[in-house]
Amino acid sequence: ARRATPGLPMAEAEPRRRARGLLASYYGGSDGADASASGDPLDDVNIDASNFNATKYVSSLLQYKSLEELVGQGNSMVSEIKSLDSDMQMLVYENYSKFISATDTIQQMKERVDGMAGSMRALEDNFTYVSRASDNVSTSFSARRGELERLNAVKRNLTKLQFLLDLPARLQRCVAAGEYSLAVRCHVRAARLMSRLGTVSAFHGIRGECELIMGRLSSTLAARLEEESVGPDELGVLTGLLLQLGSSEDALLQKYLARRRRAIAEAISGFAPDSGDGDDEDKPERAGETEGEEGEEGEDGPGGGRGEAGPPLPLCAEYTRQLGALVVPQLLQMITAWRELFCAQPGDGEADGRPGALSPEKKEAMLIDALGELGASLVEACRRAMAAEASDSDDLLAGAAQLLEAVAPLHEALPEAKVVPCATRACEGLAKRAIEDRMAALREELAGAVGSLVGEGDGAAGALPDSELRGAGEQIAAAVGVAVEAVTPLLAPMCELLRLRADGVAVHLTDQLHAAVVAVLDAASQPQTEPRAVLRSAGVCLQMAAGGAALVPDTLRRALAPQGLGGAALGIDAAGLSLQFRRAADALLRRFVEMQAQAVSVGVSHRMHAFDWLHCAPPCGVTSLVGQVLGELRAMQRLAAGLFPTEPTKPMLPTGPFPPITPLEQQLAQKLAASSAGGGTASIHKDLQRMFARKVSFETAGFMGTGGKAGAEPSLGAMVAHVAKLTLKTLVEEVRCATFSRHGFQQVQVDMTMLRWVLPSATNDPEPLVSLLDEAFISCQERSLECVPLEHSVVEAFCENERRQLLAAIH
C-alpha cells in the first residue's frame, strides 16, 4: 500500500497523543521515547525540544502565520494545556495507587522473610558439605591430571599432523566437487599450521603440492570472476575467496564495486516503467535482466500494480516509485554484502594483517563513493522523468514525495553518501525550473496581450479608449494571479516536504515575476512603424504606471498570504516598476511626436516644392498647405485625446477676433524696410524677431511640461504645440530656400495670417508659434523679388472665407 505523502496535516488525536507521551516520558512511562523522538532536539523552534526558544517560536508564528492561523494556534495550545493538566492528574492518581500497592507488598515480604531464616541456615550447611566432597575428589585425581593433559596435547598435535598429511587429497576432492569455499578454508588453516612448523623439510612437499592446487583454483576463480553472467551473490563469494588466497585487496574490491556499479547503472538506464496494461508473464523476464535475484520483483515490484490502495499516481511519480522499487533494494543489498564480506572483523580461518590490506576507513570510503554515484544516477533519472512528465505543480510535488520516500532507506543505511541531500537539491531545482517555465509562459502571455492591444497592423484604428487602457492593467494582474496560483504548491508544501525554508523559493518566484512584468515593458517598447501603434504602446505604459504595476504585488500577496509568505510580495518594487513604465511612456510619446512632426513636415515640404511661387496667380484665398497642416494636426489631436481623458481638447479652428496687423506688415506697407537696410528700425525689428525664434526649443523633451524632468506630466496641448513648432520650423527652412514673386509673397502673407489665427489658440504655448510665423514672413520678404503686401482687410476676407469652409467641413 502507498504510504502517506509527507507534509500532510496530523490527525486530530495527534496533539493529545503527544501530550500523553511527554507526561509518560517525565514519569518514566512507555511512551516517553516516542515523545522525545517526535522532533529534532536541536531545533530551537520545536516546542518539544529541550532547547526550545519561546521568543523565536512566537516571532516565527507572527512572521509566517495569518491572524486566523494565530488564533487557531492559540486555541490549539490552550486545548493541549488542558489535556496535559488532565493527564497529569490521572498520572498522579495512578502513582498514588501504585504507592499503596507497593506498601502492601513490602508488608507481605517482611512477614515472609522472618520465616525464611531456618531454610537459609539449612541451605548453608548443604553447600558446606558439597564443598568438602569436591575437595576430596580433586585431591584423589590430582596425581593423574598432568598425565591426562599431556596425552591430550599429543593427541591434538597428531590430529593436526594427520590433517596436514591428508590436505592435498582433501583439497583435490573439494575442488573436484566444486566446494571452493571449503577448500579455501582448509588451505588457510593449513597455512597457519605450516607457518608454525617453520622450515621442517618433511612438509615441503605437502606445501608445494597444496600451493599448486590452490594456484589452479585461484586461476579458475579469477576466470569465473570475469564472466558477465556472475550474479551479485556469487560475485561477492568469488571476491572473498580470492582475497583469502592472497590476491590484491585493493584491485579486487575496486573490480567488485565496478561490476556492481555497472550492473545497477544499466538497470537504471534501461528501465522502462510498466504501464499496467502489459502481459504479466513478461514481468519476471524483464526483472531477471537486471542484477541477479535481487533485481527480480514480485507482484508489488515495478512490474506489479499498486493494488486498490489510493488513487493512481501521476506518470512521473509512478515512474519514480517503480524505479526506486527496482534499484533501491539492489543498493541496500550491496551495502549489506560489502559490510558482511569485506568489513567484518577477521575470524578463525581468515588471514589477518595481509600485506596491502585496506583499512576499514578506506573500505567504508569506497562504499560511500559507490553509493553516492549510484544514488546520484537514480536521482538524475527520476529528475529527468519529472522534468519531462510533470504537467503541473501537483504532479511535481507527488514525484518529489515518491523520490524522497524511495531514497530514505539509503540515507538510513549510509547517511554519509548524502543521497537524500542530492534528491533534495534535485527537487528544489525542479521546483525553481517549474517556476521559471511558468513565468516564461506568463511573459509570453503578457507580451502577446500587449501586442494585441497595440495592434500595429491596424492602420485604421485610433488610440485605445480609456476603458480598454484600464482593462489592460486588470488583465495583466489576472494573468499574474493565474500563474502564481499554478506554482503555489511549489512553495510551502514543497519546501515542507524537502525541509527547506520557503522564503528562498518565494524570493525566486518574486524575481521571476518581476522579470515577467518587465516583459510587458519590453513588449510595449518594441520599435513600431505606425504612429498609432506607438501611441497605443504609450497608453499601455501610462496605465501600468498609473496603477497596473501596483496590482502585481497585491495579487502576489493575496495568493501567498494563506501560506504565511505574503511578505515575499515586498520584493517587487511597485514604485520602481511604475517609474520604469512612466519613463517608457515618456519615451514612446516623444517618439510619437517625432513621427507625427516628421509626417507633417514632409507634407509641408512637398507642398512648398509643388507650388510655383514665381509664376503663381494673384491670391484668391488660403492655399491647401494650411488645410493640410491643420487637418493633420487635428487628426493627431483626435488620435492622442484617448490618453488624456481629463484634459479638454482645444478646437483646431479660428477662435476669437481676427488677429490685427503685425508690426512687420505695417513697416512693410510703409515701405521702410528697403530704405532702412543700413540699420533702420525695420531691420532692427527683424533681427529681434529672429533672435527670439532661435531661442525656441525643438527638443522632444520640451513638450513634457517641465523639460522632461522626473515628475513631469505630458499633456495633449503640449504635444500638439511641439508638432506645430517642428512643422513651422520646416516651413521657415523651405521659405528660406525658395524665391517668391509679388503674388507668391502675398500668398504666403495670407497663409501665415490664417495659421496665426488658428494655431496659438489651439496650443498651450502660443508665443513660440507666433515667433516662428514671424520668422517665416521675414524670410519670405527677404526672398521676394517684389514685396508688396495685401491690404489687411483683403487678407481678413480670405481668412474668413477659409474659416467658414473649415466649419462646414467639420459639421
Side-chain angles (χ1 to χ4, degrees), residues 237-301:
V237 173
L238 292 175
T239 304
L241 294 178
L242 289 173
L243 286 176
Q244 295 182 58
L245 292 176
S247 298
S248 173
E249 186 176 25
D250 188 17
L252 279 176
L253 295 185
Q254 293 287 358
K255 181 179 295 186
Y256 174 83
L257 287 177
R259 290 285 297 274
R260 296 302 301 267
R261 284 178 177 175
R262 183 168 65 252
I264 298 177
E266 290 175 355
I268 295 174
S269 61
F271 172 71
D274 185 6
S275 60
D277 54 357
D279 188 2
D280 294 340
E281 296 178 357
D282 295 334
K283 297 174 184 176
E285 295 179 4
R286 289 195 298 268
E289 294 176 0
T290 60
E291 191 181 352
E293 296 180 358
E294 285 74 19
E296 297 182 357
E297 298 290 341
E299 296 179 355
D300 296 333

XYZ file of all heavy atoms in Angstrom, residues 237-301:
483
model
N 31.104 -13.861 -3.237
C 31.787 -15.071 -2.775
C 33.120 -15.225 -3.474
O 34.154 -15.530 -2.841
C 30.881 -16.291 -3.001
C 31.652 -17.577 -2.692
C 29.646 -16.197 -2.120
N 33.138 -15.046 -4.798
C 34.394 -15.187 -5.548
C 35.420 -14.159 -5.094
O 36.613 -14.486 -4.933
C 34.110 -15.027 -7.044
C 33.275 -16.127 -7.712
C 32.986 -15.763 -9.154
C 33.999 -17.466 -7.634
N 34.981 -12.938 -4.880
C 35.912 -11.898 -4.426
C 36.475 -12.243 -3.053
O 37.688 -12.091 -2.795
C 35.201 -10.542 -4.381
O 34.653 -10.247 -5.664
C 36.159 -9.432 -3.995
N 35.619 -12.731 -2.146
C 36.097 -13.112 -0.819
C 37.089 -14.261 -0.868
O 38.097 -14.266 -0.139
N 36.838 -15.290 -1.705
C 37.769 -16.423 -1.813
C 39.109 -15.971 -2.362
O 40.174 -16.403 -1.878
C 37.155 -17.502 -2.701
C 35.891 -18.188 -2.145
C 35.363 -19.192 -3.147
C 36.195 -18.868 -0.810
N 39.090 -15.119 -3.387
C 40.357 -14.632 -3.942
C 41.119 -13.787 -2.931
O 42.366 -13.807 -2.898
C 40.076 -13.826 -5.208
C 39.629 -14.652 -6.422
C 39.207 -13.735 -7.559
C 40.751 -15.574 -6.882
N 40.403 -13.055 -2.103
C 41.084 -12.289 -1.060
C 41.775 -13.226 -0.068
O 42.920 -12.973 0.355
C 40.077 -11.404 -0.329
C 39.570 -10.155 -1.069
C 38.512 -9.446 -0.258
C 40.728 -9.212 -1.370
N 41.103 -14.334 0.305
C 41.719 -15.279 1.234
C 42.904 -16.006 0.607
O 43.820 -16.442 1.321
C 40.678 -16.310 1.684
C 39.545 -15.706 2.505
C 38.564 -16.748 2.967
O 38.941 -17.706 3.652
N 37.304 -16.579 2.601
N 42.907 -16.110 -0.722
C 44.024 -16.770 -1.411
C 45.182 -15.818 -1.657
O 46.164 -16.213 -2.297
C 43.542 -17.352 -2.737
C 42.575 -18.539 -2.619
C 42.098 -18.974 -3.986
C 43.229 -19.697 -1.878
N 45.074 -14.583 -1.187
C 46.214 -13.678 -1.237
C 46.215 -12.702 -2.395
O 47.236 -12.054 -2.634
N 45.143 -12.574 -3.151
C 45.100 -11.601 -4.249
C 45.056 -10.177 -3.687
O 44.759 -9.954 -2.512
C 43.873 -11.857 -5.127
O 43.935 -13.135 -5.713
N 45.348 -9.203 -4.569
C 45.393 -7.794 -4.159
C 44.013 -7.333 -3.705
O 43.045 -7.384 -4.478
C 45.883 -6.926 -5.313
O 45.777 -5.554 -4.987
N 43.913 -6.896 -2.470
C 42.610 -6.493 -1.935
C 42.093 -5.241 -2.617
O 40.905 -5.151 -2.957
C 42.717 -6.271 -0.430
C 41.376 -5.983 0.226
C 41.487 -5.873 1.733
O 42.582 -5.551 2.226
O 40.463 -6.116 2.409
N 42.983 -4.280 -2.848
C 42.549 -3.029 -3.474
C 41.987 -3.281 -4.871
O 40.903 -2.802 -5.228
C 43.728 -2.063 -3.544
C 43.305 -0.666 -4.001
O 42.096 -0.383 -3.948
O 44.176 0.115 -4.410
N 42.702 -4.062 -5.685
C 42.249 -4.328 -7.053
C 40.955 -5.122 -7.056
O 40.041 -4.842 -7.850
C 43.337 -5.080 -7.820
N 40.848 -6.118 -6.182
C 39.646 -6.946 -6.157
C 38.424 -6.135 -5.712
O 37.341 -6.249 -6.298
C 39.846 -8.135 -5.224
C 40.613 -9.332 -5.816
C 40.829 -10.384 -4.760
C 39.878 -9.922 -7.013
N 38.573 -5.324 -4.685
C 37.437 -4.543 -4.210
C 37.023 -3.486 -5.240
O 35.829 -3.217 -5.416
C 37.761 -3.879 -2.880
C 37.988 -4.841 -1.705
C 38.184 -4.061 -0.418
C 36.830 -5.814 -1.567
N 38.014 -2.894 -5.918
C 37.671 -1.944 -6.964
C 36.905 -2.631 -8.092
O 35.920 -2.090 -8.624
C 38.949 -1.291 -7.524
C 39.684 -0.385 -6.555
C 38.959 0.936 -6.318
O 37.918 1.207 -6.910
N 39.514 1.755 -5.429
N 37.340 -3.843 -8.452
C 36.648 -4.592 -9.507
C 35.240 -4.977 -9.057
O 34.283 -4.904 -9.839
C 37.456 -5.828 -9.878
C 36.844 -6.662 -10.991
C 37.716 -7.863 -11.323
C 39.052 -7.423 -11.900
N 39.851 -8.583 -12.352
N 35.116 -5.379 -7.798
C 33.789 -5.738 -7.281
C 32.826 -4.547 -7.364
O 31.699 -4.670 -7.855
C 33.925 -6.217 -5.840
C 32.608 -6.485 -5.147
C 31.944 -7.690 -5.313
C 32.020 -5.523 -4.334
C 30.732 -7.941 -4.691
C 30.809 -5.755 -3.700
C 30.170 -6.966 -3.879
O 28.971 -7.210 -3.256
N 33.280 -3.384 -6.901
C 32.417 -2.205 -6.948
C 32.129 -1.778 -8.377
O 31.018 -1.321 -8.687
C 33.066 -1.059 -6.173
C 33.068 -1.187 -4.651
C 33.799 -0.016 -4.022
C 31.644 -1.262 -4.117
N 33.118 -1.921 -9.256
C 32.892 -1.547 -10.649
C 31.821 -2.425 -11.285
O 30.960 -1.934 -12.036
C 34.200 -1.640 -11.441
N 31.867 -3.750 -10.990
C 30.843 -4.644 -11.540
C 29.462 -4.300 -10.986
O 28.469 -4.294 -11.724
C 31.215 -6.095 -11.200
C 32.432 -6.625 -11.960
C 32.073 -6.929 -13.409
N 31.075 -7.967 -13.488
C 31.344 -9.282 -13.487
N 32.600 -9.703 -13.407
N 30.362 -10.167 -13.581
N 29.393 -4.045 -9.677
C 28.094 -3.697 -9.086
C 27.575 -2.361 -9.632
O 26.389 -2.211 -9.927
C 28.203 -3.617 -7.560
C 28.557 -4.915 -6.864
C 27.567 -6.023 -7.160
N 26.218 -5.707 -6.759
C 25.678 -6.025 -5.583
N 26.403 -6.698 -4.697
N 24.433 -5.725 -5.297
N 28.483 -1.399 -9.799
C 28.075 -0.120 -10.358
C 27.531 -0.271 -11.782
O 26.492 0.294 -12.135
C 29.269 0.848 -10.389
C 29.643 1.446 -9.043
C 30.848 2.329 -9.221
N 31.223 2.994 -7.996
C 32.300 3.758 -7.856
N 33.104 3.937 -8.884
N 32.570 4.340 -6.714
N 28.274 -1.027 -12.589
C 27.856 -1.183 -13.974
C 26.496 -1.869 -14.074
O 25.627 -1.464 -14.866
C 28.909 -1.960 -14.752
C 28.588 -2.096 -16.236
C 29.765 -2.616 -17.040
N 30.125 -3.968 -16.677
C 31.212 -4.317 -15.992
N 32.047 -3.382 -15.579
N 31.471 -5.584 -15.711
N 26.291 -2.904 -13.274
C 25.026 -3.632 -13.333
C 23.852 -2.744 -12.903
O 22.803 -2.713 -13.553
C 25.099 -4.875 -12.452
N 24.026 -1.996 -11.808
C 22.934 -1.140 -11.330
C 22.729 0.044 -12.265
O 21.581 0.463 -12.518
C 23.219 -0.683 -9.892
C 23.285 -1.903 -8.958
C 22.160 0.293 -9.407
C 23.633 -1.579 -7.527
N 23.828 0.593 -12.807
C 23.690 1.699 -13.754
C 22.946 1.259 -15.010
O 22.124 2.004 -15.562
C 25.059 2.262 -14.122
N 23.201 0.040 -15.474
C 22.468 -0.477 -16.632
C 20.991 -0.682 -16.295
O 20.110 -0.447 -17.141
C 23.093 -1.798 -17.097
C 24.468 -1.629 -17.734
C 25.104 -2.962 -18.074
O 24.502 -4.013 -17.729
O 26.201 -2.958 -18.675
N 20.716 -1.102 -15.074
C 19.314 -1.251 -14.667
C 18.603 0.104 -14.657
O 17.431 0.205 -15.036
C 19.241 -1.905 -13.288
N 19.315 1.150 -14.250
C 18.709 2.482 -14.225
C 18.498 3.008 -15.633
O 17.417 3.511 -15.989
C 19.583 3.444 -13.400
C 19.616 3.013 -11.926
C 19.071 4.878 -13.517
C 20.563 3.831 -11.073
N 19.535 2.912 -16.472
C 19.434 3.464 -17.823
C 18.460 2.688 -18.705
O 17.816 3.256 -19.578
C 20.821 3.488 -18.471
O 21.347 2.166 -18.573
N 18.360 1.388 -18.489
C 17.471 0.584 -19.306
C 16.095 0.386 -18.731
O 15.316 -0.429 -19.253
N 15.762 1.116 -17.672
C 14.475 0.913 -17.022
C 13.345 1.462 -17.881
O 13.419 2.572 -18.421
C 14.467 1.604 -15.658
C 13.123 1.610 -14.986
C 12.578 0.457 -14.468
C 12.380 2.787 -14.904
C 11.340 0.466 -13.860
C 11.153 2.815 -14.299
C 10.631 1.642 -13.771
N 12.308 0.679 -18.022
C 11.089 1.107 -18.715
C 9.916 0.849 -17.777
O 9.680 -0.292 -17.368
C 10.906 0.338 -20.021
N 9.170 1.879 -17.388
C 8.080 1.683 -16.429
C 6.981 0.814 -17.007
O 6.731 0.810 -18.218
C 7.591 3.107 -16.145
C 7.978 3.882 -17.361
C 9.262 3.273 -17.853
N 6.344 0.083 -16.124
C 5.227 -0.771 -16.513
C 3.954 0.055 -16.449
O 3.592 0.581 -15.395
C 5.144 -1.973 -15.570
C 4.065 -2.956 -16.011
O 3.496 -2.746 -17.096
O 3.800 -3.922 -15.265
N 3.286 0.189 -17.577
C 2.063 0.987 -17.616
C 0.879 0.276 -17.003
O -0.181 0.856 -16.808
C 1.734 1.368 -19.070
O 1.557 0.206 -19.852
N 1.027 -1.016 -16.724
C -0.046 -1.756 -16.071
C -0.960 -2.474 -17.022
O -1.836 -3.224 -16.599
N -0.783 -2.294 -18.363
C -1.656 -2.970 -19.312
C -0.924 -4.000 -20.139
O -1.407 -4.465 -21.155
C -2.313 -1.945 -20.251
C -1.264 -1.076 -20.928
O -0.063 -1.246 -20.625
O -1.656 -0.231 -21.757
N 0.289 -4.362 -19.711
C 1.071 -5.337 -20.450
C 0.763 -6.737 -19.990
O -0.082 -7.026 -19.142
N 1.491 -7.699 -20.574
C 1.322 -9.113 -20.226
C 2.081 -9.401 -18.955
O 3.276 -9.134 -18.856
C 1.840 -9.981 -21.380
C 1.507 -11.451 -21.172
O 0.857 -11.746 -20.159
O 1.908 -12.269 -22.016
N 1.407 -9.967 -17.955
C 2.048 -10.248 -16.681
C 3.133 -11.300 -16.810
O 4.026 -11.377 -15.969
C 1.013 -10.715 -15.644
C 0.048 -9.604 -15.299
O 0.410 -8.432 -15.550
O -1.055 -9.901 -14.799
N 3.091 -12.121 -17.858
C 4.090 -13.168 -17.975
C 5.461 -12.606 -18.302
O 6.468 -13.272 -18.107
C 3.665 -14.160 -19.070
C 2.372 -14.904 -18.739
C 1.969 -15.838 -19.863
O 2.676 -15.837 -20.896
O 0.980 -16.570 -19.695
N 5.514 -11.381 -18.830
C 6.792 -10.797 -19.198
C 7.508 -10.162 -18.022
O 8.666 -9.807 -18.118
C 6.601 -9.723 -20.281
C 6.092 -10.354 -21.566
O 6.348 -11.558 -21.786
O 5.453 -9.617 -22.328
N 6.817 -9.976 -16.896
C 7.412 -9.235 -15.782
C 8.615 -9.945 -15.177
O 9.651 -9.335 -14.967
C 6.355 -8.957 -14.709
C 5.224 -8.078 -15.225
C 4.132 -7.947 -14.194
C 2.959 -7.151 -14.772
N 1.845 -7.078 -13.830
N 8.557 -11.259 -14.891
C 9.745 -11.899 -14.345
C 10.920 -11.860 -15.301
O 12.060 -11.736 -14.886
C 9.270 -13.334 -14.050
C 7.777 -13.232 -13.942
C 7.396 -12.169 -14.893
N 10.661 -11.948 -16.615
C 11.756 -11.912 -17.560
C 12.426 -10.552 -17.567
O 13.648 -10.446 -17.592
C 11.230 -12.246 -18.960
C 10.687 -13.670 -19.074
C 10.163 -13.955 -20.460
O 10.297 -13.071 -21.333
O 9.645 -15.055 -20.663
N 11.623 -9.464 -17.547
C 12.225 -8.129 -17.528
C 12.981 -7.904 -16.234
O 14.036 -7.282 -16.211
C 11.134 -7.060 -17.684
C 10.531 -7.020 -19.064
C 9.745 -5.729 -19.235
N 8.635 -5.655 -18.290
C 7.416 -6.083 -18.571
N 7.153 -6.633 -19.737
N 6.444 -5.971 -17.690
N 12.464 -8.422 -15.124
C 13.171 -8.253 -13.857
C 14.447 -9.061 -13.846
O 15.454 -8.665 -13.272
C 12.280 -8.668 -12.686
N 14.451 -10.232 -14.495
C 15.629 -11.077 -14.492
C 16.769 -10.505 -15.313
O 17.910 -10.941 -15.192
N 16.485 -9.520 -16.197
C 17.542 -8.925 -16.975
C 18.432 -8.033 -16.140
O 19.507 -7.648 -16.571
C 16.936 -8.090 -18.115
C 16.205 -8.955 -19.132
C 15.533 -8.093 -20.177
O 15.662 -6.862 -20.062
O 14.902 -8.638 -21.085
N 17.998 -7.654 -14.943
C 18.803 -6.816 -14.076
C 19.734 -7.685 -13.261
O 19.956 -8.849 -13.571
C 17.898 -5.963 -13.166
O 17.103 -6.839 -12.383
C 16.991 -5.076 -14.013
N 20.224 -7.171 -12.161
C 21.334 -7.768 -11.451
C 20.886 -8.925 -10.568
O 20.595 -8.761 -9.384
C 22.015 -6.695 -10.597
C 23.335 -7.137 -10.029
C 23.920 -6.027 -9.197
O 23.370 -4.931 -9.213
O 24.898 -6.277 -8.529
N 20.821 -10.121 -11.123
C 20.615 -11.345 -10.351
C 19.268 -11.392 -9.678
O 18.293 -10.785 -10.084
N 19.234 -12.166 -8.589
C 17.977 -12.394 -7.881
C 17.470 -11.132 -7.214
O 16.273 -10.947 -7.055
C 18.165 -13.489 -6.826
C 18.501 -14.854 -7.437
C 18.682 -15.897 -6.366
O 18.587 -15.518 -5.181
O 18.928 -17.052 -6.696
N 18.419 -10.237 -6.811
C 17.976 -9.022 -6.130
C 17.215 -8.111 -7.071
O 16.443 -7.273 -6.652
C 19.184 -8.257 -5.552
C 19.769 -8.902 -4.312
C 20.555 -10.164 -4.670
O 20.933 -10.305 -5.852
O 20.758 -10.993 -3.782
N 17.460 -8.232 -8.383
C 16.763 -7.387 -9.324
C 15.370 -7.859 -9.624
O 14.589 -7.157 -10.249
N 15.032 -9.109 -9.249
C 13.702 -9.623 -9.544
C 12.678 -9.022 -8.584
O 12.931 -8.834 -7.407
C 13.701 -11.148 -9.421
C 14.636 -11.824 -10.440
C 14.584 -13.331 -10.319
O 13.883 -13.813 -9.418
O 15.263 -14.001 -11.098
N 11.512 -8.729 -9.120
C 10.451 -8.122 -8.321
C 9.218 -9.004 -8.394
O 8.924 -9.618 -9.432
C 10.117 -6.714 -8.840
C 11.299 -5.749 -8.755
C 11.635 -5.391 -7.334
O 10.751 -5.581 -6.466
O 12.750 -4.934 -7.079
N 8.492 -9.043 -7.325
C 7.254 -9.816 -7.291
C 6.090 -8.992 -7.776
O 6.220 -8.061 -8.555
N 4.962 -9.316 -7.267
C 3.759 -8.627 -7.711
C 3.711 -7.181 -7.264
O 3.054 -6.365 -7.879
C 2.521 -9.360 -7.189
C 2.392 -10.774 -7.753
C 1.167 -11.464 -7.194
O 0.509 -10.867 -6.329
O 0.873 -12.582 -7.619
N 4.425 -6.852 -6.185
C 4.412 -5.477 -5.680
C 5.582 -4.682 -6.194
O 5.797 -3.563 -5.765
C 4.440 -5.466 -4.137
C 3.187 -6.098 -3.578
O 2.164 -6.043 -4.279
O 3.242 -6.657 -2.463
N 6.424 -5.253 -7.062
C 7.598 -4.560 -7.569
C 7.232 -3.628 -8.706
O 6.093 -3.266 -8.932
